[in-house]
Each structure stands twice: as C-alpha cells, then as structure tokens.
Amino acid sequence: MSDTTSPRSRSVAIIGAGPAGLIAAEMLAAAGLAVSVHDRMPSVGRKLLMAGRGGLNLTHSEPLETFLGRYGASAPRLAPLIEAFPPAALRDWAEALGAPTFVGSSGRVFPKSLKASPLLRAWLRRLDGLGVRFALRDDWQGFDDAGRAIVVRPDGSTAAIEADATLLALGGASWPRLGSNGAWTGILAARGVEMTPLLPANVGFRAEWSEPFRARFAGTPLKALAVRFEDTTLRGEAMVTAYGLEGGVIYALSSRLRDAIERDGSATLSLDLAPGRDAAELAARIASQKPGQSLSNLLRKAAHLAPVAINLMREAGGGPTLPRDAEELAALIKAVPIRLTGIEGLERAISTAGGVAWSGLDDGLMLKAIPGVFVAGEMIDWEAPTGGYLLQACFATGIAAAKGVLARLDAEQSG
Ligand SMILES: Cc1cc2nc3c(=O)[nH]c(=O)nc-3n(C[C@H](O)[C@H](O)[C@H](O)COP(=O)(O)OP(=O)(O)OC[C@H]3O[C@@H](n4cnc5c(N)ncnc54)[C@H](O)[C@@H]3O)c2cc1C
C-alpha cells in the first residue's frame, strides 16, 4: 500500500463500549482513524455506570510498585501497559474531561462527584467531537471469511463491518444484564484463541447461617474488621448477606478463597471483630464489667461490639450460648471462625477472572490466532481486587491495544 493514504482512510471497528473500548476509540480517533464503536446494548458504558452507583473508584493513589503487585500473576504483563498509562495519567484524563478526582481516606481515587454519569456524558461529547460513530444494538457474532466482524442488527439482519482492524473490548461475564455476557469465549475458542476459563472474582461466598441470623442480619455491614485467611490478614469491611458474606475485605481474598474451596470443598476465615485491641486488653475489660448483666450488654460495653458481631460469635463460634469466661470470650472476639462453603456465581461477581490468555497475545494485544484483531479490558486473563485496579487495567489495556492497532496499520502502510 502506498504511504500517500491519508489517516482518515484507515478505519477500526471497536466492539464493546465499556471503558476499555471507549478509551481505545478516543485514542484512535484522535490519531485520525475513522472509528466505529459497536455494542449489543441500547446504550454505552452500562457497567461503568453501575460501578459509579457505589462511588466510582477510578484508581488508587498508592506507590506504583505496590499498585502493580495487586495484579498477582498478571503483573509482569500488565506492568508496562500500566506504566505507560499510570494512575496519575488516568486522573489527569478525568480532570481534563471536567471530572476532577480526589483521594479518599483509604487511598482510593474517586471523581469528586463520585458518580460515573457526568464523566461518561463528557466523554461521549468528546468522542462525538472526534467523529467516533456509534452503532448500538449491534451484537457481534464473530468474523466472516474475509476477516470482517459480523454483527446482528436490531432488525435481525446481519452486517459485516468493513475496517482495517478490529478491536474487541467485550468485558468479562459478570452482571450479564449490563451487556458483557461472555458469549465471545466460544467464538474465540473456535478460532483457536488461547483461553483460560472465566471465573467469578471479587465475589461473595456462601456461609451456612441459621435462619434467625439470616432473617435479622442479612444486609448488615461488619465494620472495622480484620479477616485472616491462611497467612494473610486484611483489615476492612464486609457485609452479611442472605447467602453469606461479601464486601471489600472478602473480595480482596476472593481469588485465594475460590481456589481453596475448589481444592478442599470449604475454606475457614478467621474474623477479628475488635482489631484495635489485643486479647489481653479485651479479657481485662470483659472481666471488669459489672456482674449480672446480659452477655450482649457486656460485650457491647467491653468490646463495643454491634449486635451483628455478637450474633456472629454465637452463630459461628460458640453456639447459642457463648462462653462466660473472659479470656475465652476475648479469644473468640479475636478469631471468630466462619466456614465458607461455596462461591457465588459470575452473575453476581464484581469482575471476572480468566479470559484471553496472555500467551495468545502479542505485545500490542493482538490475537496471535487472528491477526488484525486486538483485545482490551476485562476479557483478558487478569484479575485484581477492588480498589480502582479493575478500571485502571481496563484503561491501560484499551490504550495499549489502540497503540497496537496504530503500529500494525502504520507498518502495513509503510510496508
Ligand atoms: C457493581 C459493580 C461495581 C464496580 N465498581 C468498580 C469500581 O468502583 N472500580 C473499578 O475499578 N471497577 C469496578 N467495577 C468493574 C468495572 O466496571 C469493570 O472492570 C469494567 O467496566 C470492565 O470494562 P470493559 O470495558 O473491559 O468491559 P465492560 O465495561 O463490561 O464493557 C464491555 C461492553 O461490551 C459489550 N459486549 C459484550 N459482548 C458483546 C457482543 N457480543 N457484541 C457487542 N457488544 C458486546 C457489552 O454490552 C459492554 O458494553 C465494578 C463492576 C461492577 C459489576
């Protein structure tokens, strides 16, 4: 091909209008490519908007080295991509969109509005200004013999998208009603793409609550908790649910709990309900309480335990009648054993582990099995706890895949 081709004559079809697809669209349109974004849903960024419901945690302010460590086995592959678009760059990007960020007390980074909707609105205006075209209710089904992406349109017709490159940003398979349903796994596997199975990540776990405990405490937060599993102790919050436990500290342990339950059939957590006090101090405070009061009152006064925590001790530790001995009680407060018997399904998980294997991708995030097709976002095989690490990796891989597209098209043009 001659190098007199003007940039706009080069085109890319992006399938999936979540954060990974949209940031790739922005970069490619800004580089002068004709960009079309296709999504099976009637509107874009549904999971991003859902993420904003509880406060959109865009990224984290901790040192980059610690940050990168959150990606576990995927850290070596993700590190150069995140270093190229680090948390500071994501914050600058949000600010330039009119959504300045702040660092919360936990070090997490949020837009000042906390919500995703103002950011998404401003983003769509920017994409519109860059000439990005959207085709919604386009359900991607695979590729035709000429390598074109095939979509089924709302009227049931099938269309082949003409483009010089295709970028898939189809998300994982959690919360499928928001659009990403994981149907792409079968399509890509059939084309020889290396994959690892999709698994729930950042997800709740089942515990066998008694009926009275479930009825009274489902939906109650467990605040200021330390949770120990194997050699790891984490502080944070959790939530009692009808089925078991969920929330930040549980999510942070979820990949290890998932593996342990798969291996052993169950996993036992140890909950420290009073992480600020040691057992000796607690025992002394319990022993110094006036005799004759109910155990609940005694624990409330001596250890500032909420009813949910006291009943969790009954539930998990000591049966309906708790020990009266101060030292035994203190020991139980410091280590309430909770047996987790199962993991919630993908449809309730915050994110998805597994997906397109790193070994199936080149450095530009192009599928080795389907040259000219790039992937980004949660559909790649990485996982991370909540804390802003998910969105940061979606943005960074979106940008890396866009760079991969540019590099390939440039090479084709000059070659
Ligand atoms: C309740 C909840 C809260 C969260 N909170 C946070 C948070 O605070 N911080 C954080 O970092 N992360 C959070 N996340 C995770 C974060 O939202 C996701 O990691 C992120 O949205 C993934 O981006 P993505 O672009 O890879 O995929 P998605 O956002 O899932 O987008 C993929 C898009 O592809 C489309 N698609 C899929 N298949 C097809 C097809 N066949 N044809 C056409 N289109 C298709 C989907 O409709 C969708 O629009 C949260 C997730 C949930 C569920």
Side-chain angles (χ1 to χ4, degrees):
M1 200 188 286
S2 102
D3 61 3
T4 53
T5 321
S6 73
R8 276 280 169 192
S9 68
R10 299 184 302 172
S11 59
V12 58
I14 296 180
I15 322 286
L22 294 180
I23 197 71
E26 179 178 336
M27 187 173 180
L28 291 166
L33 271 73
V35 178
S36 62
V37 177
H38 307 258
D39 200 289
R40 60 188 291 271
M41 299 302 279
S43 63
V44 308
R46 292 194 169 202
K47 193 171 279 180
L48 181 68
L49 290 171
M50 174 59 84
R53 290 244 296 243
L56 184 69
N57 184 191
L58 265 182
T59 186
H60 203 288
S61 62
E62 68 196 2
L64 193 57
E65 202 187 325
T66 317
F67 189 102
L68 295 172
R70 308 291 180 190
Y71 297 96
S74 289
R77 286 303 298 264
L78 278 172
L81 314 188
I82 293 175
E83 280 159 1
F85 189 74
L90 181 49
R91 296 185 66 183
D92 289 346
W93 170 86
E95 171 135 22
L97 268 184
T101 56
F102 72 99
V103 179
S105 55
S106 57
R108 295 173 179 219
V109 173
F110 302 88
K112 283 188 177 153
S113 71
L114 288 174
K115 291 192 238 145
S117 43
L119 183 141
L120 183 58
R121 267 198 305 275
W123 198 1
L124 293 177
R125 275 198 301 276
R126 177 184 283 178
L127 293 174
D128 187 49
L130 288 167
V132 173
R133 287 180 303 110
F134 284 90
L136 300 175
R137 294 199 176 91
D138 263 9
D139 197 341
W140 175 75
Q141 304 282 312
F143 300 99
D144 66 8
D145 291 343
R148 297 173 303 182
I150 299 295
V151 293
V152 172
R153 299 244 139 106
D155 61 4
S157 65
T158 299
I161 316 293
E162 295 288 351
D164 297 311
T166 302
L167 193 156
L168 302 175
L170 302 168
S174 72
W175 287 64
R177 70 183 170 83
L178 300 176
S180 43
N181 59 6
W184 51 267
T185 49
I187 302 169
L188 293 187
R191 293 291 303 263
V193 174
E194 287 174 53
M195 314 267 287
T196 52
L198 300 188
L199 292 170
N202 295 305
V203 65
F205 288 83
R206 287 180 219 133
E208 289 169 350
W209 303 140
S210 69
E211 206 37 58
F213 181 82
R214 187 195 320 272
R216 185 166 166 207
F217 293 110
T220 309
L222 284 162
K223 298 203 164 150
L225 202 63
V227 178
R228 190 167 66 249
F229 181 63
E230 295 170 344
D231 55 353
T232 305
T233 302
L234 298 175
R235 285 173 84 140
E237 294 191 3
M239 169 92 85
V240 172
T241 65
Y243 64 80
L245 283 176
E246 63 182 33
V249 75
I250 302 296
Y251 297 158
L253 290 166
S254 64
S255 62
R256 294 178 53 191
L257 291 171
R258 187 183 67 211
D259 295 346
I261 291 176
E262 202 164 283
R263 189 184 59 232
D264 307 328
S266 70
T268 299
L269 289 176
S270 175
L271 267 46
D272 179 349
L273 301 173
R277 294 198 162 90
D278 67 22
E281 183 192 347
L282 281 171
R285 290 173 67 97
I286 291 167
S288 70
Q289 294 297 310
K290 267 202 305 226
Q293 56 185 322
S294 75
L295 197 54
S296 294
N297 265 345
L298 183 145
L299 288 171
R300 186 171 52 77
K301 288 188 197 155
H304 303 299
L305 295 187
V308 63
I310 296 167
N311 283 279
L312 200 62
M313 289 168 64
R314 290 209 169 87
E315 189 74 9
T321 43
L322 289 169
R324 300 290 308 196
D325 176 78
E327 276 173 18
E328 273 181 63
L329 270 174
L332 186 56
I333 292 169
K334 295 297 288 176
V336 181
I338 304 285
R339 189 166 158 267
L340 302 176
T341 53
I343 181 165
E344 280 295 281
L346 257 168
E347 60 296 340
R348 297 179 71 123
I350 299 283
S351 61
T352 306
V356 175
W358 288 107
S359 53
L361 294 172
D362 74 6
D363 288 342
L365 302 187
M366 185 174 80
L367 292 171
K368 290 178 184 165
I370 321 180
V373 177
F374 295 76
V375 297
E378 215 183 291
M379 66 184 293
I380 301 175
D381 178 16
W382 53 268
E383 67 176 306
T386 56
Y389 310 103
L390 302 169
L391 284 172
Q392 179 72 49
C394 290
F395 278 89
T397 54
I399 285 184
K403 284 184 190 162
V405 168
L406 286 174
R408 180 174 167 91
L409 296 186
D410 283 349
E412 277 178 2
Q413 209 165 318
S414 57

